[in-house]
Amino acid sequence: MEWEFDTLTLPRDYSRNVVTRMLVERAEHGGWELDRVRIQNDGVRRIVLRRKIIRQRLTLFAG
């Protein structure tokens, strides 16, 4: 299985509710899921999101 990753860096002045709403929007409309959250000493959040890469396979029809 292959994954696509996206990293967000959010400043400390964003409230928890704002961050939650942003992540829910990305999950519902973009298919992203939460992979990792790190809160640094200065309060900056580093968020890593991931989603599956779905590859289409070539199919040949015998006819």
Side-chain angles (χ1 to χ4, degrees):
M1 187 176 317
E2 293 182 58
W3 296 95
E4 177 183 4
F5 291 93
D6 188 19
T7 303
L8 300 172
T9 304
L10 302 176
R12 66 180 290 169
D13 57 341
Y14 283 20
S15 70
R16 184 180 289 184
N17 291 335
V18 170
V19 173
T20 301
R21 275 188 267 139
M22 288 174 59
L23 294 176
V24 166
E25 283 292 320
R26 295 191 113 201
E28 288 180 353
H29 298 291
W32 294 97
E33 61 184 46
L34 190 62
D35 185 52
R36 156 181 333 127
V37 177
R38 291 192 176 225
I39 301 176
Q40 299 173 351
N41 290 338
D42 59 355
V44 173
R45 291 178 181 96
R46 170 166 269 161
I47 300 167
V48 178
L49 303 171
R50 69 179 183 180
R51 66 179 170 188
K52 292 179 188 176
I53 298 175
I54 301 172
R55 304 233 185 251
Q56 293 182 348
R57 294 183 181 174
L58 179 63
T59 56
L60 299 175
F61 295 101

